[in-house]
């Protein structure tokens, strides 16, 4: 008579522990019991009747809270009926019971703008976490600039706004969130920058051959609001050639090269 029991080494609060039990040989069906034990006290238990010859699974619901003062946790699996056995192994506890995310409406801000933040938290079961969190904002010099000690999440979501002064320290700012033994950070930058007035895009042909008399391409200039730019355009072409004999790189401006070859330009 023999059996195989396989289970994860690490457990997390609120997450079901799936235990694989295979009874290889037994005189009849086996009543299998799985216990989560801490300090000689059973914290969770699950039972199932398993027949021999095919793998089966037992799901053990882990409690919402796993405290270290309860001692080391272990998994004990025992069988009775057609096969009698008992085995116990020590488990590792991962205390993370909430996943948290921090979002800002932008990555870069200018002085005087408002930083809009959103905090999202959910449990390992993907249900929203409705506890409370603490939020801190520090500047590039690690000075505490804002603090919310007790933000209550609603359906796993909360938001806050932080207005920047007219002369804030430039650099990387940090948003730190703590809740239910879980910490998460997000950064944003404060810069005295000016948005570009327009963008120029040059699209040359993928290749040219030595006897080409025309080189055609497109140049697009648009403002940030996508309207076309009207003005004077100056283009400079370069011809790059390689000499396989001397392994030298030759770069000459288009004006000199075209006049030497006697070609014209559009």
């Amino acid at each position: 008579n023999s059996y195989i029991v396989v289970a994860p080494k690490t457990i997390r609060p609120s997450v079901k522990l799936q235990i694989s039990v295979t009874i290889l040989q037994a005189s009849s069906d086996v009543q299998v019991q799985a216990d989560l034990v801490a300090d000689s006290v059973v914290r969770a238990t699950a039972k199932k009747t398993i027949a021999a010859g095919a793998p089966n699974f037992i799901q053990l619901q882990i409690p919402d809270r796993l405290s270290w003062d309860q001692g080391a946790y272990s998994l004990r699996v025992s069988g009775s009926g057609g096969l009698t056995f008992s085995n116990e192994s020590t488990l590792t506890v991962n205390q993370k019971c909430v996943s948290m995310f921090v979002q800002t409406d932008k990555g870069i801000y200018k002085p005087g703008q408002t930083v809009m933040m959103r905090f999202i938290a959910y449990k390992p079961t993907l249900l929203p976490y409705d506890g409370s969190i603490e939020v801190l904002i520090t500047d590039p010099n690690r000075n505490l600039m804002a603090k919310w000690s007790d933000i209550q999440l609603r359906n796993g979501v909360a938001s806050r706004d932080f207005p920047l002064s007219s002369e804030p320290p430039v650099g990387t700012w940090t948003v730190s969130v703590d809740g239910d033994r879980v910490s998460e950070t997000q950064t944003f930058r404060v810069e005295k920058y000016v948005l570009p007035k327009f963008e120029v895009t040059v699209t040359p042909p993928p290749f040219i051959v030595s006897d080409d008399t025309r080189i055609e391409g497109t140049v697009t200039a648009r403002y940030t609001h996508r309207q076309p730019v009207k003005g004077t355009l100056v283009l400079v072409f370069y011809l790059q050639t390689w000499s396989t004999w001397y392994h030298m790189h030759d770069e000459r401006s288009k004006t000199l090269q075209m006049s030497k070859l006697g070609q014209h330009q559009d």
Side-chain angles (χ1 to χ4, degrees):
N1 294 339
S2 57
Y3 65 95
I4 298 175
V5 177
V6 180
K9 181 69 174 178
T10 303
I11 58 175
R12 290 179 58 187
S14 303
V15 178
K16 291 183 179 180
L17 182 69
Q18 185 159 277
I19 306 165
S20 173
V21 180
T22 304
I23 306 298
L24 299 178
Q25 293 181 358
S27 58
S28 61
D29 291 349
V30 180
Q31 289 74 44
V32 180
Q33 178 172 328
D35 298 320
L36 179 66
V37 182
D39 196 19
S40 301
V41 178
V42 176
R43 307 295 178 178
T45 185
K47 300 178 181 180
K48 192 172 188 179
T49 300
I50 298 177
N56 216 313
F57 295 94
I58 299 177
Q59 287 192 338
L60 184 63
Q61 179 63 55
I62 304 301
D64 294 339
R65 301 288 178 178
L66 298 177
S67 177
W68 289 113
D69 56 14
Q70 295 177 347
Y73 287 87
S74 61
L75 175 65
R76 182 173 63 205
V77 181
S78 57
S80 60
L83 177 63
T84 302
F85 64 89
S86 181
N87 201 331
E88 187 169 345
S89 299
T90 303
L91 299 173
T92 302
V93 177
N94 184 347
Q95 290 287 356
K96 182 179 180 181
C97 57
V98 175
S99 294
M100 196 170 301
F101 299 91
V102 183
Q103 296 177 324
T104 57
D105 62 320
K106 294 191 296 184
I108 302 177
Y109 296 87
K110 292 191 297 184
Q113 291 185 334
T114 299
V115 181
M116 292 185 287
M117 300 166 290
R118 179 168 59 182
F119 317 105
I120 303 173
Y122 60 87
K123 301 176 183 179
T125 56
L126 299 183
L127 294 175
Y129 170 74
D130 288 336
S132 60
I133 59 175
E134 181 182 71
V135 178
L136 307 176
I137 298 181
T138 54
D139 67 6
N141 301 318
R142 298 185 179 179
N143 297 317
L144 181 61
M145 306 304 293
K147 179 179 179 179
W148 293 273
S149 298
D150 191 11
I151 300 177
Q152 188 66 38
L153 297 172
R154 294 287 184 267
N155 294 322
V157 180
S159 60
R160 285 294 185 274
D161 294 342
F162 175 68
L164 294 169
S165 65
S166 58
E167 292 292 336
V170 297
T172 301
W173 291 55
T174 303
V175 182
S176 303
V177 182
D178 294 302
D180 204 351
R181 295 169 293 179
V182 177
S183 299
E184 190 64 45
T185 61
Q186 178 66 283
T187 60
F188 62 87
R189 292 190 58 81
V190 175
E191 297 180 359
K192 296 180 179 180
Y193 71 103
V194 178
L195 288 173
K197 294 182 178 180
F198 58 87
E199 180 183 17
V200 178
T201 304
V202 181
T203 306
F207 63 90
I208 60 174
V209 295
S210 58
D211 56 352
D212 279 345
T213 59
R214 294 168 58 92
I215 300 177
E216 296 184 0
T218 59
V219 179
T220 304
R222 292 185 180 276
Y223 292 103
T224 53
H225 54 273
R226 307 306 299 165
Q227 292 298 317
V229 177
K230 295 182 179 180
T232 303
L233 174 67
V234 178
L235 284 177
V236 179
F237 289 85
Y238 290 91
L239 177 64
Q240 297 180 345
T241 59
W242 286 87
S243 172
T244 57
W245 179 260
Y246 294 102
H247 301 285
M248 295 178 61
H249 179 256
D250 181 24
E251 182 177 295
R252 287 168 287 184
S253 69
K254 183 246 182 187
T255 303
L256 294 176
Q257 185 68 14
M258 289 303 178
S259 61
K260 181 179 179 180
L261 296 177
Q263 297 177 343
H264 68 279
Q265 68 181 55
D266 288 335

